[in-house]
Amino acid sequence: MSLTRRDFTRQSALTGAGVALAGSVGALATAPNALASTDTESAAEKPADAHHGVGYGPLVSDPKGILALPAGFSYRVITHSGKTRLESGEFTPSNHDGTATFDGPRGATLLVNNHELKGPRAAWKYPVPLTEGLVYDPAASGGCTVVEVRRDQVAEWVGIAGTSTNCAGGSTPWGTWLTCEETEDKAGQNGMTKDHGYVFEVDPCDRRANRDPKPVKALGRYAHEAVVVDPKRGHLYLTEDASGPNGLLYRWTPPAGFHHGRGRLRTLADDAGVLQAFKCFDSGGRFVDDLSRATKTGTVYGVDWVDVPDRDAKTVSTRKQFTDGRITRARKLEGMWWGDGGAYIVSSYAREESPVQHDGQVWFYDPRRRTLTLKVLLGANPDPSKDGGFDGPDNITVSPYGGLVIAEDGEGVQHLFGATDSGRTYPIARNELNIGTQEKPEYSEFTGVTFSPDGRTLFANIQTPGIMLAITGPWKRQPR
């Protein structure tokens, strides 16, 4: 059933344009370029135990030059590309990206970690090893690994290999991982021997289930970024990180009678269910061509869904199959996370290719109301080389302590930062690993931000060179 413009206009009038929607993150009403730490005191000016407001206080520089954290917090290196090794003896692959945690055996925590490696294997020093039985395309360099973490030991093995540009991905309610290829390379392009741009399911608990990888073609072939599952309705929502033209938000509806579960997606026919792209309109019923049009937090759009003509993009990319006016677009549609009964969705930035420029948006899609609400908006960061401002949100998670935790993939200094229900923000970590020069420092993005199942540990990655970190400390419930 479509949500008509008339229905949405009437609903908006009854709810005050829908600003007060359900969801524990609330309005997150942050003005453009206002996302910055509410603490301005330095560590030297403020005792470690004196911070009682939002966040955890100022960041303390790391003498090891890896990760600055608030006083009282510490980190542990879990995997490090080129240094730690897999069970099979090869080095941990590089370019860590999307990650999720799962309960493992005998109190262990299991993580599935994407490795965003594009193109032929020869281009990378540490590609994902081609483990027998787990390879989709032997020419491709990407894939994901499974990491088992215990108090005093770590083990790592290949979950899938021979895939390409494995980016954000997403976990499922039934305890598996969906790894997404952010590429449209077909067989014969960039040295590939098979078509790419698909989603694959990886089971962290059953190695046998991962043998003979099969793409879930029903979810479409395009530059996949992230995916979430609506546990109540069975829909899958997927983001596309692409430009020329800008990418789309997709919804996949399962076929009648289909029941989700471990390994069930790989049994689907290639054309099973319905893949659709979103189409937004404002409270006045006017079509919205691009999400960058929203310039105020609290903006609410109604959402309808339009069928994708050729989901496998045999001749034309899925996002190019629509003429202007049929669907809504957005630049850099990136991380997603399911929480509060809906999907949090990130648009990292918009530049000249978009109607309006910004340095990041976070939206919330409410499937019951069929509305999309702008929760976080970052204006242009005037000086990304200086600490304090945030830009370029990417991977995201809902915090068990309230609000959101966001991984920064912007320019200059890179952070993990939190956003409270009311929109106040605070730093959690700063990447201090300089991969540039002293004259021209460069800091890699953060990826794969996710809490352990018990909420005590925040895992995150520094993508280059590829380091997985476990952060612990005096976590506390954040004020609204």
Side-chain angles (χ1 to χ4, degrees):
M1 176 181 173
S2 296
L3 178 67
T4 67
R5 291 177 175 83
R6 181 177 298 176
D7 292 338
F8 179 65
T9 303
R10 182 170 61 250
Q11 176 179 300
S12 298
L14 293 172
T15 62
V19 173
L21 294 180
S24 67
V25 176
L28 282 173
T30 307
N33 202 36
L35 273 177
S37 173
T38 55
D39 270 312
T40 57
E41 296 174 276
S42 70
E45 296 169 334
K46 191 171 190 178
D49 61 351
H51 188 78
H52 302 291
V54 171
Y56 301 97
L59 302 179
V60 180
S61 189
D62 179 12
K64 296 181 180 179
I66 297 177
L67 195 68
L69 293 169
F73 282 77
S74 62
Y75 69 88
R76 173 187 175 192
V77 174
I78 302 299
T79 66
H80 190 150
S81 180
K83 293 187 177 182
T84 56
R85 291 183 181 269
L86 307 180
E87 286 184 344
S88 50
E90 299 96 342
F91 282 114
T92 294
S94 62
N95 291 60
H96 296 29
D97 210 287
T99 308
T101 62
F102 306 85
D103 285 316
R106 298 179 297 280
T109 296
L110 293 174
L111 301 99
V112 185
N113 184 202
N114 278 351
H115 297 276
E116 191 180 17
L117 299 161
K118 180 178 176 64
R121 300 181 63 78
W124 301 98
K125 187 175 183 179
Y126 302 115
V128 177
L130 297 177
T131 303
E132 183 181 358
L134 300 178
V135 180
Y136 170 65
D137 180 352
S141 53
C144 62
T145 54
V146 181
V147 182
E148 183 181 74
V149 179
R150 298 183 183 275
R151 179 172 298 180
D152 56 354
Q153 64 186 56
V154 173
E156 185 178 17
W157 59 89
V158 173
I160 189 174
T163 53
S164 177
T165 327
N166 300 69
C167 209
S171 61
T172 70
W174 51 92
T176 63
W177 172 251
L178 299 178
T179 185
C180 298
E181 294 187 304
E182 188 192 332
T183 180
E184 296 180 67
D185 285 348
K186 302 183 74 172
Q189 294 179 324
N190 289 327
M192 300 297 98
T193 64
K194 291 186 177 181
D195 291 350
H196 291 268
Y198 294 116
V199 176
F200 296 78
E201 187 170 21
V202 176
D203 193 325
C205 301
D206 185 355
R207 303 192 195 196
R208 294 172 299 177
N210 300 326
R211 298 188 66 82
D212 302 319
K214 179 184 177 183
V216 186
K217 293 188 175 182
L219 302 180
R221 194 184 71 81
Y222 47 90
H224 286 272
E225 176 72 28
V227 57
V228 296
V229 181
D230 181 339
K232 183 177 180 180
R233 300 164 185 83
H235 293 128
L236 272 67
Y237 296 92
L238 309 103
T239 49
E240 178 182 31
D241 183 2
S243 59
N246 285 345
L248 309 177
L249 173 67
Y250 298 89
R251 183 185 72 176
W252 179 76
T253 302
F258 178 79
H259 298 285
H260 284 296
R262 270 187 153 84
R264 293 283 297 145
L265 288 173
R266 66 182 292 162
T267 68
L268 289 165
D270 294 350
D271 61 351
V274 180
L275 184 69
Q276 299 172 304
F278 78 146
K279 180 178 183 178
C280 297
F281 44 93
D282 65 19
S283 58
R286 295 175 291 269
F287 167 69
V288 179
D289 62 338
D290 195 283
L291 290 186
S292 68
R293 297 285 187 189
T295 58
K296 293 182 179 179
T297 53
T299 296
V300 182
Y301 294 144
V303 178
D304 211 343
W305 298 95
V306 183
D307 290 0
V308 176
D310 173 20
R311 74 180 82 184
D312 203 47
K314 293 179 177 61
T315 57
V316 179
S317 298
T318 54
R319 71 184 183 281
K320 297 179 180 179
Q321 295 173 23
F322 298 94
T323 56
D324 291 343
R326 291 195 62 206
I327 44 81
T328 299
R329 302 185 183 276
R331 183 72 172 102
K332 294 292 290 181
L333 285 170
E334 297 266 9
M336 287 198 292
W337 199 269
W338 187 269
D340 306 320
Y344 290 94
I345 304 163
V346 171
S347 171
S348 285
Y349 61 77
R351 297 291 184 263
E352 291 78 7
E353 79 289 324
S354 303
V356 181
Q357 296 186 35
H358 61 75
D359 258 350
Q361 297 174 328
V362 181
W363 295 83
F364 180 77
Y365 177 69
D366 184 333
R368 184 175 67 87
R369 294 175 178 264
R370 287 172 287 173
T371 54
L372 193 67
T373 304
L374 182 58
K375 299 288 189 177
V376 177
L377 174 63
L378 286 75
N381 189 343
D383 190 353
S385 66
K386 292 184 178 180
D387 199 13
F390 305 130
D391 62 279
D394 196 324
N395 288 182
I396 188 172
T397 190
V398 173
S399 171
Y401 303 97
L404 303 171
V405 176
I406 301 169
E408 194 175 14
D409 178 17
E411 300 177 11
V413 182
Q414 305 292 331
H415 301 88
L416 297 175
F417 66 95
T420 69
D421 295 354
S422 62
R424 302 176 69 185
T425 63
Y426 56 93
I428 296 174
R430 181 178 64 245
N431 178 8
E432 295 195 329
L433 184 61
N434 182 7
I435 58 175
T437 65
Q438 186 174 358
E439 295 75 22
K440 294 183 178 181
E442 181 182 352
Y443 301 94
S444 174
E445 66 179 280
F446 279 107
T447 63
V449 58
T450 183
F451 278 91
S452 59
D454 64 8
R456 296 179 180 178
T457 304
L458 177 65
F459 292 93
N461 309 312
I462 296 175
Q463 186 173 72
T464 304
I467 304 174
M468 179 185 287
L469 302 159
I471 302 170
T472 54
W475 302 110
K476 65 176 183 178
R477 185 76 186 176
Q478 293 298 318
R480 296 181 64 86

